Amino acid sequence: MKSSILLSFLLGLMMTSQAQSVSTDFDADWKFHLGDAPGAEQPTLNDQSWRSLRLPHDWAFESDYSRDAAQTDKGGYKPGGIGWYRKAFDFSDEWENQKVFIAFDGVFMNSKVWLNGHLLGERPYGYIRFEYDLTPYLQPKNNVLAVRVDCSREPAARWYHGCGIYGHVKLEAHAAVHVVTDGVCITTPEVSDRMAEVNVQTEIANTLDRSERITLETLLLDPDGKEIARESEGHSIGGNGIQVFDKKFQVSSPRRWDTKTPSLYTVVSRIKLNGKWLGETRSRFGIRTIRWDTATGFWLNEKNVKLQGVCDHLEAGPVGAASPDELIAWKIRLLKEMGCNAIRTAHNPQVPKFYELCDEMGMLVMDEIFDGWKKKAAQDYGKQAFDQWWERDLRAWLRRDRNHPSVVVWSLGNETGGNIAKELVRVCHEVDPTRSVTSGHSGSEFMDVEGVNGASERPMFFDHTPDKPFVATEAPHTWQVRGYYRTKTWFRDGYPANNAKRAFACPDLTEQEIFHYDWAPPGGNRNRKQIFNSSYDNAMVRITARKNWELMRDLPWYSGHFRWTGFDYLGEAGYVHGGWPFRAFMGGALDLAGFKKDLYYFYQSQWTEEPMVHILPHWTHPVMESGTEIPVWVYSNCDEVELFLNGKSLGKDRPGTKWDEMQCEWLVPWTSGTVEAVGYRNGREVARRSQTTSGAPAALKVTVEGDACPIITVSEVDENGVLNPYAENRIHYFISGPASILSLESGNPVNTENNFGTTSRTAFFGLGRAFLRLSGVEVSENENKVSAVVGAICGEPQLLTSNKIHIDAQSCSIRGEVMPRDLKIFYSTDGSDPRTPYIGGFEVQPGTTVKAAVYDGDLFLFDMEEQFAEGLGLYWGDAGSDEASQAAIGDQAEDAKLSSAVVKRNGKGFHGKGYVDFGNNQGSVEWYQENDGSPETVALHFRYSGNAKGRSGRPMKLIVNGVESELFFKNTANWGSDWKTVTVEARLNSGANHIVLSTIGRGGMYIDELIVE
């Protein structure tokens, strides 16, 4: 009874007095349980056995990859599920006399939140900030906040999505009269070099039952934090209501926000009630102008600017959805250094910190709210909640992001459609009339700016000029695996070279393929998509990165592009890359670990001024025949480049402006040694880079960057310190001090080992990284030191050029002084426990397993083990291996979604790993097909085999996006050895398409594959 009286007294104080606003980081000290836990919303539940953690958190990323995982190939073979979070806390003196809110930056998805057993609310969308009022249910002691996150319906996106509370959580305490969350709206309607007009609109809530007389004071601070204007005005505000107050300022000689000098001003809003200040709200903004012109494109501060952009998922890169602030900044910085000036938040909003960083770093943003306005993935927001929640989520997003100068255009959807488009645009213009609205090829007739995805890559797209401002929202689509090369051109859809309307030509670099190493031997891939893609900019859907840039640069109406993508990301592994074991989409200029691909340097050569040269490919080719002519490219922004081979000049070349002349190029007969590029401006050397032939892996090179989230980068090098570009040994990490490993990543798209909860991972093409998070707990200076020991058994898995093995272990400091260590290594080669002291390299025979143990003095740190035998690691192919591995050219039926059908492998002549047999069942096979362009008519080619006795063939039902038709499959000579094709035209929508072939009655023909042309 006393507690109840005290609580009533506290709540009364909250509603009457005038205390300062308080914002509290609420990320620490949460309890987590994976799986449903009925009754977990009740404060009496015993959660002592639950895991303790600090937010942000993504349980799906922490979980294993699995071929049958709920997110399927779309989500990179990660799980979904249900998770619970609980946090116990006492009432703080700081919150007395306040309204107390809990704010979540991001929870995926279907969250419900309780305080002390009382349901506060639910939010289906996984990419939106939201808050709840805790005040009515707070008690003096032992408050329990409980959050249930439901990702049980999967796949809930077309790419990998995180699961859990992946954003920050804050507790916000405000006076009864306060500025509403996201309630300050700042616009700059008039801007010149002499003067800028700044309009400030402030929403103030009065939660008291009576009217109050307040003073609203608004201050304007310049980018240096100096006060340049102050206005105070008294207002009367009614009880239990919200009122909006306008204030105008003029700023002399405004400092413009732009990509090179992102100057940020600040509005400070203060409320005074009964002579006492009730706290303040700070809102940053930038003074800049933006406009879109049909003829000339995008303008920033009255300067014509090409949008040199990329698309990126929130989850892209090395750590999943729960990316710490420092890693978000790291990703943006890498893109800035490439010359990128814009990011499209495909296909959902990012966390608030992302926009703050873009404001500070000068990165333009195409801010996108939805993927689909209806179902695209089987259980996505478009299916589960869009119709009921779209307007509430749309308005919350617009209000949250409207003050960010980095946001230059709103995007409402991606490859979707429906009559709702007009309403979406209406709400955008209502909430923010200052910005234009676009979409990724969705409801374009209603948009201010026409956004076009893959259709903008087709030659026929350029037969006309747009009748409204245009931007390529998703182009180009090219793929590359870091450090992997092929001289033969590859089109995703197998376009013939003469299909000049659908794809731009890209000639082969050599008549015969000269590179034959691969991730798997012939037959190790199930279809033609299960390959690594070349880094020569010759693997694509319709257009190379170079041609796309040429068009964008030279066409005045072409505002810019957002290439797909900046970073590689988990998911979409089936449709583009053929499915398991491929886990990731490889379209980034940077891989999953943030390592730069050759493509990165192409953009840098076109988009930056600092002198640079970059050579590809590397110069280590252990099985290549001497004298083989290798296309050597150099990307450079210099006037001219000279190439040297072992000190001898091979001549100079100048980077051109045409797409196939942008790289300097030489055909160089292969011989070991060093190839070196020297860049000149005005006849003077300004840049130099080289590639040297490497020996077998023999040591590690370790570097560390970062503060709160350090990144350890490890390179495998030969005895001379030269990177071995094929090294794939397992790298081990031992972390000492208050830090944990968030992720181990190397960029390998077919490595399905868990990134989390492990201390080792294989290098990929010579490189690997560990991503750490330092503890937020305050400790003494001595205990605050963090260091690591990194080790590996180095050698070629197949002993291809050398049977010599080295073992290396190195210590590195992460925070604080270098810790003195006495590292000792013991090893064995006969399968026994490692007891032989390691003093230097040694030779082994094929079939040897090397074991090693690393100690710091007498303290054991970690074990290592590496096998060396024929058939391990990369496949070192032959001239026929590429053709053999690509016999299957379509989407294989055995990889599609099957109902009442089985996969068979007897017979001959089938493509891939088998074919589908319905037996005597009523069954179906369903393919998923994405169309990143406009709706179009395509040809569907079904490869089949079968002989219906007593009949000329069998009918089967075709259902394309719900539209049914009947096909007739004529008999082939036999079942399973003679294969024919049935072709039919069908209409594909923009975005997701579902193609279903089902039996009519019981049984049907054997189905081998589908080719969409």
Side-chain angles (χ1 to χ4, degrees), residues 136-174:
Y137 309 113
L138 278 171
Q139 55 194 33
K141 295 284 186 180
N142 303 319
N143 294 281
V144 176
L145 192 66
V147 183
R148 184 180 188 267
V149 185
D150 186 353
C151 300
S152 60
R153 288 174 282 179
E154 294 284 0
R158 296 179 300 108
W159 58 90
Y160 169 75
H161 65 76
C163 293
I165 307 177
Y166 66 87
H168 292 301
V169 178
K170 287 186 178 179
L171 190 142
E172 307 280 356
H174 304 293

Side-chain angles (χ1 to χ4, degrees), residues 643-700:
L643 191 72
F644 295 85
L645 176 62
N646 294 329
K648 180 181 178 181
S649 176
L650 301 183
K652 293 182 178 180
D653 194 9
R654 301 179 70 89
T657 57
K658 294 182 178 180
W659 76 273
D660 55 352
E661 297 174 358
M662 291 179 180
Q663 72 281 356
C664 298
E665 187 172 1
W666 296 261
L667 275 176
V668 181
W670 160 243
T671 184
S672 63
T674 297
V675 59
E676 188 169 34
V678 179
Y680 301 93
R681 284 186 180 172
N682 299 319
R684 184 174 62 87
E685 179 185 331
V686 291
R688 180 185 292 257
R689 289 291 183 273
S690 64
Q691 297 273 16
T692 298
T693 306
S694 173
L700 302 178

Side-chain angles (χ1 to χ4, degrees), residues 962-981:
V963 179
E964 296 186 9
S965 60
E966 188 174 298
L967 303 181
F968 190 77
F969 291 74
K970 295 181 179 180
N971 285 340
T972 65
N974 53 51
W975 290 89
S977 296
D978 183 37
W979 298 88
K980 292 184 178 179
T981 300

Side-chain angles (χ1 to χ4, degrees), residues 126 130 158 185 205 311 356 400 464 513 554 619 655 678 687 713 928 948 993 1012:
F130 58 91
R158 296 179 300 108
C185 178
C311 299
E356 294 174 19
R400 187 196 74 171
H464 73 287
E513 183 58 65
D554 294 344
W619 206 241
V678 179
T713 299
Y928 174 80
N993 292 271
V1012 180

Side-chain angles (χ1 to χ4, degrees), residues 26 30-33 35-37 40-42 50 55 59 82-87 102 104 106-116 118-123 130 132 134 144-150 164-166 169:
F26 231 50
W30 286 80
K31 292 282 193 174
F32 172 70
H33 172 76
D36 209 356
E41 73 278 11
Q42 297 301 325
W50 289 23
L55 302 177
W59 82 68
I82 295 173
W84 279 87
Y85 298 83
R86 285 164 55 94
K87 181 179 173 74
I102 191 73
F104 295 87
V107 184
F108 197 99
M109 63 181 293
N110 292 319
S111 64
K112 290 185 177 181
V113 182
W114 293 263
L115 178 64
N116 298 326
H118 299 277
L119 180 64
L120 302 178
E122 57 185 287
R123 200 70 176 226
F130 58 91
Y132 299 115
L134 304 183
V144 176
L145 192 66
V147 183
R148 184 180 188 267
V149 185
D150 186 353
I165 307 177
Y166 66 87
V169 178

Side-chain angles (χ1 to χ4, degrees), residues 312-439:
D312 259 336
H313 288 307
L314 177 148
E315 302 86 352
V319 298
S323 189
D325 296 348
E326 187 172 297
L327 288 186
I328 298 174
W330 171 76
K331 288 164 59 176
I332 298 170
R333 184 167 59 253
L334 283 171
L335 292 171
K336 285 280 288 187
E337 291 170 358
M338 184 178 80
C340 172
N341 65 10
I343 298 173
R344 177 190 178 201
T345 66
H347 299 293
N348 46 259
Q350 296 258 0
V351 294
K353 189 64 179 181
F354 168 84
Y355 301 92
E356 294 174 19
L357 290 166
C358 287
D359 289 346
E360 294 167 6
M361 300 170 76
M363 180 67 79
L364 304 172
V365 177
M366 175 183 286
D367 201 3
E368 189 157 271
I369 177 65
F370 301 125
D371 182 29
W373 307 330
K374 53 189 175 183
K375 184 184 87 168
K376 293 178 72 176
Q379 296 292 339
D380 62 7
Y381 172 80
K383 177 187 177 182
Q384 291 193 42
F386 178 84
D387 289 344
Q388 296 77 32
W389 281 85
W390 72 264
E391 185 167 359
R392 184 172 175 181
D393 287 335
L394 179 63
R395 289 180 181 275
W397 165 70
L398 291 166
R399 286 171 57 86
R400 187 196 74 171
D401 293 347
R402 60 189 173 181
N403 290 335
H404 291 289
S406 57
V407 176
V408 295
V409 64
W410 305 115
S411 178
L412 296 179
N414 179 70
E415 295 170 8
T416 186
N419 295 329
I420 196 68
K422 186 176 182 180
E423 283 299 294
L424 292 163
V425 174
R426 178 189 63 78
V427 172
C428 274
H429 287 163
E430 175 192 321
V431 177
D432 178 26
T434 71
R435 289 180 180 86
S436 295
V437 180
T438 189
S439 68

Side-chain angles (χ1 to χ4, degrees), residues 531-570:
I531 61 169
F532 283 1
N533 298 113
S534 171
S535 291
Y536 272 117
D537 190 29
N538 57 355
M540 73 214 80
V541 180
R542 310 171 190 88
I543 192 171
T544 65
R546 291 164 294 151
K547 182 64 180 178
N548 204 98
W549 164 239
E550 177 191 1
L551 291 165
M552 169 178 145
R553 181 196 62 204
D554 294 344
L555 293 171
W557 52 265
Y558 200 136
S559 298
H561 76 45
F562 290 83
R563 79 154 283 117
W564 193 261
T565 53
F567 282 77
D568 287 354
Y569 60 92
L570 296 179

Side-chain angles (χ1 to χ4, degrees), residues 440-452:
H441 222 117
S442 308
S444 298
E445 64 270 29
F446 301 106
M447 303 297 157
D448 306 314
V449 176
E450 183 180 9
V452 182

